Every structure is written in structure tokens, then in C-alpha cells.
Amino acid sequence: MDRLDALAIRVPGADVRVAGRCASTNSALLAGALDRPVLLAADVQSAGRGRRGRRCHSRAGHGVLFSLGLPLERAPRELAGLSIVAGVAAVRALRALGAAETALKWPNDLLLHGAKLGGILAETRARGTGSAAVVGIGLNHRRAPGLAARVRREVAALDDVLRPLPPRNIVIAALAQQVLEALRAFDAAGLDPFRGDWDALHA
């Protein structure tokens, strides 16, 4: 099995943690102090959440499931574009890995050849004069039998297009590095630097 290993998930500047099973990586990070960047990856989420409380489906060994949390200087009211920024960063990372047809669908879907590859859930809370932000990403690494029927829509997985398929540790590190860099840029300069890529990547 493709095992998660914190030492193999290299994200400079972030504290990397791995859990075999977790209720929700987003909820776990939001409950913490988040005084520095923290990445939490899990093999399975028993109560993983999507947008509007929808359930995030995962099967052990088949998904890339992680959350990245960090402190930001901007107040929560200034973070409306967080999902756009995280989505642009995720697509950049996936295309760099070789999934060239990855695209975005408002507000939080990652698509591959028009089918759902995964999703993004961005959440924030006030922290002093700034914020704590958590971006959760879940995507299909290997195609799980019956997933399309359970979610009642066409789905895609990275193993549809990537040969050889990079280990999950590598995929998580690539995504998290791009997202962390993008969130820091957003904190410094706002949404404007990402508008062009958003327009180009939106499906």
C-alpha cells in the first residue's frame, strides 16, 4: 500500500503531521493554535466535509486528503478569495505533476477532463488582529470501485492520466508547497495577482 510518511512530505516552512484516521483534517487544525504553518494528512477521514457540509468520500489508500493551516495578517472579512487562490495553486501543482487537463469549477471543484477529481474547502477564524486559515484538499489518487455511483456524478483519478503514478507523499508535498506559497502571496498582495490564472483555469 502507498503509505503516508511525514518525513517524505517535504514542505519547507511547515510542520508536517500524518494521521492514519481522522474525523476531519480541517476541523483538527482549526481547533489548534495555528501560530505557524501546519500540514495534516490522513489516510481516511471519517467525517470529512465538503462545501455546505457535504460528505467527503474516501477509501484507505485511494485518496489524497490533507489540510494546510497557517496564520494570516488579513482579517477574516478580507479572505473571500481564499478558495480561488487555493484552487489556482492546486491546479498549478497538478499540471506540473503531469495532469495537464486539470481545471477549476466554481466554487471549489477540481476537474480532470470534465469529471470531478477532487475538491477544496477553505475555512477561517479570527486570530488576534488577523486570521487563521485552513485549506483542505481531497482528491482521487487511485480510482476507487463504486465511487461514481456513491457520489452520483462522473469522477476522475490521477491514475487515469499519470504513468507512473507519483506516491501520495509526493502529490501532497507538491500541492501543499504551491498552496502555501500562494496563500502567503495573497496575504501580502490580495487577489489581483491570481485573477488572470483564475480566468484561464476556470472550466
Side-chain angles (χ1 to χ4, degrees), residues 72 74 78-82 85 181-194:
L72 298 175
R74 292 177 179 265
E78 300 174 343
L79 301 181
L82 209 59
V85 172
E181 180 181 324
L183 293 180
R184 285 171 167 165
F186 172 74
D187 200 25
L191 190 58
D192 283 346
F194 298 90

Side-chain angles (χ1 to χ4, degrees), residues 35 48 76 95 115 195 198:
D35 52 2
R95 289 188 171 192
R195 292 186 189 276
W198 163 255

Side-chain angles (χ1 to χ4, degrees), residues 6 21 48 85-86 88 103 117 130 143 164 189:
R21 187 176 184 88
V85 172
V88 167
L117 175 65
R143 185 172 287 274

Side-chain angles (χ1 to χ4, degrees), residues 7-175:
L7 294 178
I9 302 172
R10 297 183 178 89
V11 184
D15 177 9
V16 177
R17 305 168 187 171
V18 164
R21 187 176 184 88
C22 179
S24 162
T25 54
N26 263 36
S27 295
L29 290 188
L30 283 167
L34 285 182
D35 52 2
R36 66 192 186 283
V38 179
L39 183 151
L40 175 61
D43 196 41
V44 173
Q45 293 189 78
S46 59
R49 294 175 289 114
R51 182 170 166 263
R52 294 181 177 174
R54 293 187 179 98
R55 184 182 173 192
C56 174
H57 295 266
S58 63
R59 179 175 175 176
H62 285 69
V64 165
L65 308 168
F66 74 94
S67 296
L68 179 67
L70 74 162
L72 298 175
E73 296 295 326
R74 292 177 179 265
R77 66 179 180 276
E78 300 174 343
L79 301 181
L82 209 59
S83 289
I84 290 175
V85 172
V88 167
V91 171
R92 287 174 179 167
L94 290 167
R95 289 188 171 192
L97 287 169
E101 300 301 319
T102 312
L104 292 165
K105 180 183 177 184
W106 174 261
N108 69 335
D109 281 354
L110 295 166
L111 304 182
L112 183 60
H113 299 299
K116 183 162 182 177
L117 175 65
I120 297 170
L121 179 64
E123 299 182 284
T124 63
R125 62 173 169 79
R127 182 181 179 276
T129 58
S131 308
V134 174
V135 172
I137 295 180
L139 57 85
N140 304 317
H141 187 243
R142 297 181 183 274
R143 185 172 287 274
L147 178 60
R150 288 199 302 277
V151 300
R152 289 183 286 186
R153 65 178 294 179
E154 188 179 357
V155 298
L158 288 181
D159 68 347
D160 294 337
V161 294
L162 298 185
R163 300 285 192 277
L165 180 65
R168 289 185 297 166
N169 295 316
I170 299 300
V171 176
I172 292 170
L175 285 162

